[in-house]
Amino acid sequence: MKKYLLSAALLIAVSISAKAQFSLGVKGGVNFSKINTDNLKESTLTGYQAGLFARVGNSLYLQPELYLSGTGGKFTSSDNGQDYNAKVRFTNLNLPVLVGKSFGEKDLNFRIMAGPVYTYILDKNESLSGNASGAVADFGNYKNSTLGYQVGAGVDIGSITADLRYEGGLTKVNENFGQRQNLWALSVGFKIF
């Protein structure tokens, strides 16, 4: 019985994908990330992103992606008249699954999209300078995985695709300081097929 159900599901998936447009591509770009905190003054870091995307559908589409990104933030604060600075950089593996709507022709297409993103921190590099208090000792207590959302717009010109997105953190990357990571990302991609 399992074989029949699996075969039927595979046949339905193949027939749907045969009618729907499918494309696979590579993308890369720059991001401007900031980690919002409860009690610290934060500023933006410039990072990168590079990876793969797939797009299934015509005017309404599903776009899963897998890419590496470099994100982080800078922080400054004063404690008892003494200043300290902190900076953290993450290397992440990101998995967004976006639902979008496209408008236009095949060679010139405008898009809007939104959806959840799962982020797993592969590596972190943090530095703390100045005279840090005991509360700041918990500064580097970062979670390895977080959930967020992405919303944005894009354009396709032939096989070239470009996106501008905002990513907001739904979960805190550090509970001790109420830190959530947010960023703007600009990427350019190429549809392989």
Side-chain angles (χ1 to χ4, degrees):
M1 185 66 168
K2 284 184 181 180
K3 290 180 187 179
Y4 294 118
L5 289 175
L6 184 59
S7 298
L10 185 59
L11 185 59
I12 290 169
V14 168
S15 65
I16 289 173
S17 65
K19 292 179 183 177
Q21 183 180 351
F22 175 81
S23 58
L24 181 68
V26 295
K27 64 180 271 185
V30 63
N31 65 48
F32 306 96
S33 62
K34 184 178 186 180
I35 299 177
N36 296 328
T37 63
D38 290 339
N39 301 318
L40 304 173
K41 181 180 176 191
E42 63 276 323
S43 60
T44 304
L45 279 180
T46 303
Y48 67 90
Q49 61 181 31
L52 303 170
F53 71 91
R55 195 177 297 158
V56 180
N58 295 317
S59 65
L60 186 63
Y61 64 89
L62 180 69
Q63 182 168 314
E65 299 179 351
L66 181 65
Y67 58 88
L68 285 174
S69 68
T71 61
K74 296 182 199 175
F75 313 96
T76 58
S77 185
S78 294
D79 190 19
N80 295 326
Q82 296 181 347
D83 294 333
Y84 66 88
N85 299 309
K87 181 169 134 179
V88 63
R89 285 197 175 272
F90 301 120
T91 301
N92 307 307
L93 185 62
N94 300 83
L95 178 64
V97 180
L98 306 169
V99 175
K101 174 77 174 139
S102 61
F103 311 91
E105 303 298 321
K106 182 179 179 182
D107 291 332
L108 180 60
N109 186 30
F110 298 95
R111 299 174 285 106
I112 56 172
M113 78 278 303
V117 58
Y118 170 76
T119 301
Y120 184 80
I121 297 174
L122 298 171
D123 187 38
K124 66 181 172 188
N125 183 351
E126 51 193 319
S127 63
L128 186 61
S129 63
N131 194 0
S133 68
V136 180
D138 293 334
F139 175 78
N141 191 14
Y142 291 105
K143 292 181 181 178
N144 284 336
S145 61
T146 60
L147 290 175
Y149 64 91
Q150 290 185 353
V151 294
V155 63
D156 298 328
I157 303 170
S159 294
I160 306 296
T161 181
D163 287 349
L164 176 63
R165 295 187 201 161
Y166 175 78
E167 181 178 318
L170 294 174
T171 57
K172 294 177 183 174
V173 70
N174 184 340
E175 294 286 340
N176 296 326
F177 290 90
Q179 296 176 334
R180 292 181 196 272
Q181 185 160 264
N182 303 300
L183 61 88
W184 284 96
L186 178 63
S187 64
V188 176
F190 181 78
K191 293 185 232 174
I192 299 168
F193 61 86

